[in-house]
């Protein structure tokens, strides 16, 4: 890698004396996403794709950049900016329907399947279906406004909104929460849920962040049920 980087600074085969030479400290210590794509592409094109098109069932285990690289090989129209922040939850099947040439099929979309942009594949599981319902603009990310009604429903189900409705939701303290009071309260709940889920701090909740929160909530709910049964 160091020699390859140094080569980009040479002009006509001779070192450019106006450019500071690269040292060992200039070389990244970790693999970039571009490196991962270069490493995964021969595996996809030479082994995985031919076997898949031949009707074989393959098991590939990976995570993070390894899976992003594989997705980049399957779906080449995903931009670098989208790919680098693509959230891929653990342990949820992601299904691509392929054409005979190995490209993702764009004619196989079906109602009831869960597609999260920019992927041309669908996730399995109820968590994704709820995410799609909340993603009103189809952007693949949830902002505070999209989370607002969902957050209010969660708060109400836990009794918090019911307990606060006569005071906290009544912004103008006239003992009758107005539409504006309710809208402001909903947005505040949405912003609180956004802060809890947005682990990378980009202002939106992608599916990976949403699923991490959703899975943790399911664990907590099951724990509560077990405590009730034990009691």
């Amino acid at each position: 890698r160091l020699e390859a980087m140094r080569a980009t600074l040479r002009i006509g085969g001779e070192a450019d004396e106006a450019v500071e030479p690269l040292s060992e400290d200039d070389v990244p210590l970790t693999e970039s996403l571009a490196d991962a794509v270069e490493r995964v592409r021969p595996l996809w094109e030479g082994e995985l794709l031919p076997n898949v098109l031949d009707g074989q069932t393959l098991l590939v285990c990976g995570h993070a950049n390894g899976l992003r690289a594989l997705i980049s090989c399957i779906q080449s129209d995903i931009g670098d900016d989208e790919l680098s922040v693509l959230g891929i939850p653990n342990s949820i099947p992601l299904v691509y329907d392929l054409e005979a040439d190995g490209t993702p099929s764009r004619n196989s979309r079906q109602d009831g399947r869960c597609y999260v942009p920019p992927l041309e594949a669908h996730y399995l599981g109820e968590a994704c279906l709820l995410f799609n319902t909340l993603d009103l603009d189809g952007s693949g990310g949830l902002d505070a406004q999209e989370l607002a009604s969902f957050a209010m429903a969660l708060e109400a189900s836990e009794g918090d909104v019911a307990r606060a409705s006569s005071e906290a939701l009544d912004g103008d303290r006239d003992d009758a929460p107005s539409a504006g009071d309710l809208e402001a309260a909903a947005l505040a709940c949405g912003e609180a849920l956004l802060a809890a889920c947005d682990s990378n701090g980009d202002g939106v909740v992608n599916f990976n962040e949403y699923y991490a929160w959703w899975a943790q909530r399911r664990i907590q709910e099951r724990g509560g049920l077990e405590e009730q049964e034990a009691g």
Side-chain angles (χ1 to χ4, degrees):
R1 288 291 305 277
L2 182 57
E3 283 306 315
M5 294 174 70
R6 284 171 174 161
T8 64
L9 302 179
R10 297 191 182 112
I11 300 175
E14 297 295 332
D16 184 0
E17 295 181 357
V19 179
E20 288 289 333
L22 290 172
S23 68
E24 297 288 346
D25 293 336
D26 295 316
V27 180
L29 297 178
T30 58
E31 182 182 52
S32 69
L33 183 52
D35 291 332
V37 172
E38 289 183 13
R39 178 168 55 83
V40 170
R41 190 178 303 282
L43 175 65
W44 168 247
E45 295 178 349
E47 295 188 45
L48 300 181
L49 180 58
N51 286 315
V52 168
L53 295 180
D54 193 39
Q56 297 187 38
T57 299
L58 310 178
L59 174 64
V60 178
C61 298
H63 75 292
N65 273 2
L67 292 182
R68 291 187 184 96
L70 181 58
I71 287 173
S72 177
C73 294
I74 298 172
Q75 189 180 332
S76 59
D77 62 347
I78 298 181
D80 291 342
D81 291 342
E82 293 176 311
L83 187 63
S84 63
V85 297
L86 183 63
I88 308 170
N90 294 332
S91 306
I92 300 184
L94 178 64
V95 182
Y96 274 98
D97 294 306
L98 302 179
E99 302 287 357
D101 62 357
T103 58
S105 173
R106 288 169 171 75
N107 300 315
S108 61
R109 286 187 172 239
Q110 299 179 17
D111 292 338
R113 286 183 173 180
C114 180
Y115 298 87
V116 178
L119 300 178
E120 291 292 343
H122 64 277
Y123 284 103
L124 303 182
E126 60 179 318
C128 187
L129 295 175
L130 180 54
F131 182 88
N132 269 179
T133 300
L134 297 174
D135 186 17
L136 300 177
D137 59 5
S139 66
L142 307 178
D143 58 22
Q145 191 67 53
E146 290 170 318
L147 289 168
S149 59
F150 179 56
M152 284 286 284
L154 286 177
E155 294 288 332
S157 70
E158 296 171 355
D160 294 336
V161 166
R163 288 193 297 270
S165 59
S166 63
E167 181 175 348
L169 298 183
D170 185 15
D172 51 15
R173 297 295 187 268
D174 62 356
D175 295 327
S178 65
D181 292 334
L182 294 174
E183 183 178 350
L187 184 57
C189 287
E191 290 172 345
L193 184 54
L194 175 65
C197 298
D198 183 20
S199 59
N200 66 5
D202 65 353
V204 295
V205 175
N206 63 33
F207 181 54
N208 189 38
E209 293 168 327
Y210 168 81
Y211 182 75
W213 171 86
W214 182 87
Q216 184 61 38
R217 184 176 177 82
R218 292 295 296 271
I219 292 172
Q220 293 171 349
E221 290 175 348
R222 285 198 295 270
L225 289 175
E226 291 173 358
E227 288 179 3
Q228 291 179 12
E229 292 173 357

